Amino acid sequence: MTGILAGLRIVEGSAFIAAPLGGMTLAQLGADVIRFDDIQGGLDSDRWPVTKDGRSIYWAGLNKGKRSIAVDLRNPKGRELLTALITAPGEGAGIFSTNMPARGWLSYEELSKKRADLIALNIVGTRDGSAQVDYTVNAITGFPLVTGPVGHEGPVNAVAPPWDLATAYAGAMAILAAERHRRLTGHGQRIVLPLQDMALAATSALGYLGEAAINEVDRPRFGNEIFGTFGRDFRTRDGRYVMICIFSDRHVDALAAAGGFAEAFAAIESRTGHDLKTDAGRWNARAELCAVIEPWVAARTADEVGTALKKAGALWSPYLTFRELLQDKDAVQENPLFTVIDQPGIGRYPVAATPLQFGAVPREAPQPAPKLGQHTDEILSGILGLPDHEIARLHDEKVIAGPC
Amino acid sequence: MTGILAGLRIVEGSAFIAAPLGGMTLAQLGADVIRFDDIQGGLDSDRWPVTKDGRSIYWAGLNKGKRSIAVDLRNPKGRELLTALITAPGEGAGIFSTNMPARGWLSYEELSKKRADLIALNIVGTRDGSAQVDYTVNAITGFPLVTGPVGHEGPVNAVAPPWDLATAYAGAMAILAAERHRRLTGHGQRIVLPLQDMALAATSALGYLGEAAINEVDRPRFGNEIFGTFGRDFRTRDGRYVMICIFSDRHVDALAAAGGFAEAFAAIESRTGHDLKTDAGRWNARAELCAVIEPWVAARTADEVGTALKKAGALWSPYLTFRELLQDKDAVQENPLFTVIDQPGIGRYPVAATPLQFGAVPREAPQPAPKLGQHTDEILSGILGLPDHEIARLHDEKVIAGPC
């Protein structure tokens, strides 16, 4: 291990996105992250998308670079093994992350009896412990009712799950904060992170609750427009879409240069009195800006539009499908973030490393996700010091399992 | 300071969401986070939403609990002061976070001349340093073309910015990872985090690139349905919407109990051969499930539906507007996450603390965002040790500014 987090060991009992992605984030930075699952697999072991023969591409994406141990979670002997693993000695060990119900043997109270300075991150649904997922949390945030086309009735759900992503990275951060605290004081602790509170805190940070409270308005749907400045999608002659934004003076000038809009923009300013160098001016003149830009984009191919915007240094981007993104040279094919790896049972495809570049250590290439139980024996031997005959007996008794 | 990150000091040169929210995350955990801005304010100082008299609710939301210093960034003397501040001695100090162009005096090379063990997080647009925002990054991820109603033509943008959120929390985590490394080795470092790479790494983690590569399909739009299991919105008799999901066996049974669907679900299983206790079975039988649930919801009020689902322990949630969320007892009004604070110039409203609950320290109530330059004098005096007459001279020369 040569990553920035070399020396840390996290034991993870997890499923779905938030907890697994938090652990993977630490694994891709060099921590030894051990995910345990029941010998039957976790709740997410078959989660879609899957390959034609049913292997979970989803699971492979969210568990890269971890080690896997498979244990019968209903067997008291299996629970004892995992308790020993979670609470094993070592300066950088004794860290547990879970979004399973942290009750009974998995509770902080029980586990910390075996290691007093244990750090345990419990990701829960709501603060009172009831189940929630990104989709149910998102429904109450208010965002689905302002997302989607103007005139659409009803909610529009997010596909990229914002609250799972936030919880994953904030949870990983919390583990490092607690590990710092332990290093300074010697004390471990339990950390509780409710997915719902994560979403509510972010919604508060983004100003939506403040706007509702102070201005006493429910913001309407603005479709693809960026509220409070200028930005939206445009359709090209060849039926493609581009996103064009203005966030600063420089972007106004660049966009004007790209399309030859300088005179038209000046005319908008003098006709409407809106100053395009301000957020408010751009927002209030957005229909007029659109009337200038839309026909220019519509008369050109995506290539022509992109070339002009790029040359002028405008703030823009094409819309891509997932397959187009996969083939995109700059974003994927020639991006050092990606490495083509062989994911056993699934195949060879480009997979991302951590997006973080630490100057002190080289970025590690992404590693495949483990097979279920791939590291059962080496973990029991290497960390718990179990002799081979004992491991063999545990296999015979079906307390543990290796890879199928 | 009693938070879990007490003793850390981060100096931040930032605007918009990712860098400010990352800093605020650390501030709400007890770090001393000092945001510097030009005496004219930052690019985001007037960002919408704003109050009726133009005060930015957005800025207030993203900069809570920080200290503010206002300096003329074009004045060499101002730059000297900030360089001294960023590189000031102290074990937990010497940490800089920015999404400004980290060139010239703000480059790692220049700053680390004054403090060799400096940690600097540079959030950039793309890996080659060109500008990007959440909206342009999102366009290439593929998500906008699969978000929104089935049959809709063209992209649907996210309103909650997933990549800014991810970058904020991953950036905060990276600072703690580098601080750990510095404590262990004595070495500082530069960290580069491209917003675009963050989005691409998450898109890869979530399996979308793997699906495109291995199955060679572009996933179509599925509207509000959760791909690969059962979940979607339903409209109640009184015109409200609820999200209902199934992620496990338990959720199937709970939903069946709530609506009296046990027989109907069994009939679906025997008629179609799909096992509703599997992800694939639920997904493939989603039209049949919908045909059972939809009329039940449509015949009842939101209150009736919610009461039944809650009682049965189903996985569900109502959709709320921002104003409804603000008034919601459980989520906001009686949630200890929120405290009503007085944000100077804006007013009193409920504001979120950190969603993280660390067992070792009490959660700190949220603090207001500072006024621009509110702490200029105390920072120059307290950290740089400047005498009062020197600070007065800097004010006279308009190198620095206090609050207006």
Side-chain angles (χ1 to χ4, degrees):
Chain A
M1 290 293 185
T2 57
I4 198 77
L5 295 181
L8 285 188
R9 187 199 303 142
I10 294 96
V11 178
E12 180 185 297
S14 66
F16 301 119
I17 297 176
L21 180 56
M24 188 177 91
T25 299
L26 300 172
Q28 291 202 312
L29 296 178
D32 178 18
V33 178
I34 297 172
R35 174 168 165 163
F36 68 77
D37 281 287
D38 187 73
I39 51 178
Q40 308 292 334
L43 276 175
D44 56 349
S45 58
D46 299 322
R47 185 93 180 86
W48 286 32
V50 292
T51 62
K52 286 176 188 70
D53 50 356
R55 302 289 190 120
S56 177
I57 297 169
Y58 173 98
W59 203 94
L62 290 160
N63 293 285
K64 298 187 291 261
K66 297 180 188 174
R67 297 201 282 170
S68 169
I69 178 171
V71 174
D72 181 351
L73 295 183
R74 271 143 307 187
N75 186 316
K77 181 70 191 159
R79 295 178 171 190
E80 262 173 50
L81 288 171
L82 290 179
T83 297
L85 182 64
I86 291 167
T87 61
E91 199 192 23
I95 306 175
F96 176 48
S97 172
T98 194
N99 66 334
M100 293 175 164
R103 292 189 294 260
W105 68 286
L106 280 181
S107 69
Y108 184 73
E109 291 64 34
E110 285 304 311
L111 292 170
S112 61
K113 285 178 188 165
K114 306 283 183 185
R115 181 166 172 156
D117 68 349
L118 180 74
I119 293 167
L121 171 65
N122 293 161
I123 295 175
V124 297
T126 64
R127 66 186 187 281
D128 61 13
S130 66
Q132 292 280 311
V133 292
D134 186 278
Y135 311 89
T136 54
V137 162
N138 194 44
I140 70 161
T141 60
F143 287 107
L145 296 175
V146 298
T147 303
V150 174
H152 175 75
E153 209 207 331
V156 169
N157 286 353
V159 177
W163 318 119
D164 273 343
L165 293 170
T167 300
Y169 301 116
M173 179 201 63
I175 285 173
L176 298 187
E179 201 265 341
R180 176 177 177 273
H181 183 82
R182 184 171 72 178
R183 200 172 284 275
L184 295 174
T185 66
H187 298 305
Q189 62 191 303
R190 180 181 184 216
I191 313 158
V192 178
L193 176 50
L195 182 68
Q196 190 186 73
D197 277 1
M198 183 77 241
L200 296 174
T203 303
S204 170
L206 293 168
Y208 289 87
L209 288 172
E211 183 183 29
I214 298 296
N215 292 350
E216 295 179 332
V217 292
D218 266 320
R219 192 188 294 189
R221 272 198 166 94
F222 288 115
N224 283 340
E225 291 184 329
I226 303 174
F227 180 68
T229 183
F230 182 80
R232 54 163 291 171
D233 61 309
F234 293 90
R235 193 172 193 274
T236 67
R237 201 181 73 203
D238 46 350
R240 313 274 316 173
Y241 292 86
V242 293
M243 179 76 196
I244 299 177
C245 313
I246 303 176
F247 273 82
S248 72
D249 295 5
R250 208 169 49 73
H251 302 147
V252 181
D253 296 338
L255 181 56
F261 303 142
E263 274 181 45
F265 285 2
I268 290 172
E269 289 188 318
S270 63
R271 197 169 64 243
T272 65
H274 295 311
D275 178 356
L276 297 181
K277 300 270 158 113
T278 68
D279 278 345
R282 294 190 279 268
W283 175 247
N284 290 321
R286 66 192 186 279
E288 289 82 0
L289 282 165
C290 184
V292 169
I293 300 162
E294 198 164 43
W296 180 78
V297 176
R300 285 164 180 77
T301 65
D303 269 357
E304 291 164 352
V305 169
T307 302
L309 291 170
K310 193 171 184 177
K311 190 180 160 201
L315 185 59
W316 77 287
S317 194
Y319 285 89
L320 302 178
T321 69
F322 295 114
R323 277 207 288 183
E324 288 165 351
L325 171 60
L326 178 71
Q327 296 306 330
D328 192 84
K329 267 192 189 177
D330 181 63
V332 175
Q333 295 293 331
E334 296 181 359
N335 186 347
L337 177 69
F338 286 91
T339 305
V340 174
I341 64 170
D342 186 9
Q343 177 63 50
I346 293 184
R348 289 175 59 81
Y349 59 103
V351 160
T354 176
L356 285 158
Q357 299 166 42
F358 287 89
V361 292
R363 178 157 63 183
E364 298 188 339
Q367 301 299 315
K371 288 186 183 179
L372 180 67
Q374 182 177 337
H375 307 94
T376 298
D377 293 6
E378 75 172 45
I379 289 166
L380 294 179
S381 160
I383 297 177
L384 297 186
L386 264 56
D388 288 354
H389 68 269
E390 171 73 9
I391 293 172
R393 200 169 55 82
L394 290 165
H395 275 289
D396 290 346
E397 294 172 354
K398 300 198 187 309
V399 176
I400 60 172
C404 311
Chain B
M1 291 291 185
T2 56
I4 197 77
L5 295 181
L8 285 189
R9 188 199 302 143
I10 294 96
V11 178
E12 179 186 300
S14 67
F16 302 118
I17 297 177
L21 180 57
M24 188 178 90
T25 299
L26 300 172
Q28 291 202 312
L29 296 179
D32 178 17
V33 178
I34 298 172
R35 173 168 165 164
F36 69 76
D37 281 287
D38 188 72
I39 51 179
Q40 307 292 334
L43 275 175
D44 56 350
S45 57
D46 300 322
R47 185 93 180 84
W48 286 32
V50 294
T51 63
K52 288 178 187 69
D53 51 356
R55 301 290 189 120
S56 176
I57 297 169
Y58 173 99
W59 202 93
L62 291 160
N63 293 285
K64 296 188 290 263
K66 297 180 188 174
R67 297 201 284 170
S68 169
I69 179 171
V71 174
D72 181 351
L73 295 183
R74 273 143 306 188
N75 186 317
K77 181 70 190 158
R79 296 177 172 191
E80 263 173 51
L81 288 171
L82 290 179
T83 297
L85 182 64
I86 292 166
T87 61
E91 199 193 22
I95 305 175
F96 176 48
S97 171
T98 194
N99 65 336
M100 295 174 161
R103 292 188 294 260
W105 67 287
L106 281 181
S107 69
Y108 184 73
E109 291 65 33
E110 284 304 309
L111 292 169
S112 60
K113 284 179 188 166
K114 306 283 184 185
R115 180 167 172 156
D117 69 349
L118 181 74
I119 293 166
L121 171 65
N122 294 160
I123 295 175
V124 297
T126 64
R127 66 186 188 281
D128 61 13
S130 68
Q132 291 281 311
V133 292
D134 185 279
Y135 312 89
T136 54
V137 162
N138 194 43
I140 69 160
T141 60
F143 287 107
L145 295 175
V146 298
T147 303
V150 175
H152 176 74
E153 208 208 331
V156 169
N157 286 352
V159 177
W163 318 119
D164 273 343
L165 293 170
T167 300
Y169 302 115
M173 178 202 63
I175 285 173
L176 298 187
E179 202 264 339
R180 175 176 177 275
H181 183 83
R182 185 171 71 180
R183 221 155 353 91
L184 295 174
T185 66
H187 299 305
Q189 64 192 303
R190 181 181 183 216
I191 312 157
V192 178
L193 177 50
L195 182 68
Q196 191 186 72
D197 277 1
M198 182 76 240
L200 296 174
T203 304
S204 170
L206 293 168
Y208 289 88
L209 288 173
E211 183 182 29
I214 298 297
N215 291 351
E216 295 180 331
V217 292
D218 266 321
R219 192 187 295 191
R221 272 201 167 92
F222 289 113
N224 283 341
E225 291 183 328
I226 302 175
F227 179 69
T229 183
F230 183 79
R232 52 163 292 169
D233 60 309
F234 293 91
R235 193 172 193 274
T236 67
R237 199 180 75 202
D238 48 349
R240 315 271 318 171
Y241 292 86
V242 293
M243 179 76 197
I244 299 177
C245 313
I246 302 176
F247 273 83
S248 73
D249 294 5
R250 208 169 49 73
H251 303 147
V252 181
D253 296 336
L255 181 55
F261 302 141
E263 276 182 44
F265 285 1
I268 290 172
E269 289 187 320
S270 63
R271 196 169 65 243
T272 65
H274 295 311
D275 179 356
L276 297 181
K277 301 267 160 117
T278 67
D279 278 346
R282 294 189 279 268
W283 175 247
N284 289 321
R286 65 192 187 279
E288 289 83 0
L289 282 165
C290 185
V292 170
I293 301 164
E294 197 164 43
W296 179 78
V297 176
R300 285 163 180 78
T301 65
D303 269 358
E304 291 164 353
V305 170
T307 301
L309 291 170
K310 194 171 184 176
K311 190 181 164 203
L315 185 58
W316 77 286
S317 192
Y319 285 89
L320 303 178
T321 69
F322 295 113
R323 277 207 288 185
E324 289 165 351
L325 172 60
L326 179 71
Q327 296 306 330
D328 192 84
K329 268 192 188 177
D330 181 63
V332 175
Q333 296 293 330
E334 296 179 359
N335 186 345
L337 177 70
F338 286 91
T339 304
V340 174
I341 64 169
D342 186 9
Q343 177 63 50
I346 292 182
R348 289 174 61 79
Y349 60 103
V351 160
T354 177
L356 285 158
Q357 299 166 42
F358 287 88
V361 293
R363 178 158 62 183
E364 299 190 336
Q367 301 299 315
K371 289 187 182 176
L372 179 67
Q374 182 177 337
H375 307 94
T376 299
D377 293 6
E378 75 172 45
I379 289 166
L380 294 179
S381 161
I383 298 176
L384 297 186
L386 263 55
D388 289 354
H389 68 269
E390 173 71 8
I391 292 172
R393 200 168 55 81
L394 290 165
H395 275 290
D396 290 346
E397 293 172 355
K398 300 197 187 313
V399 176
I400 61 173
C404 309

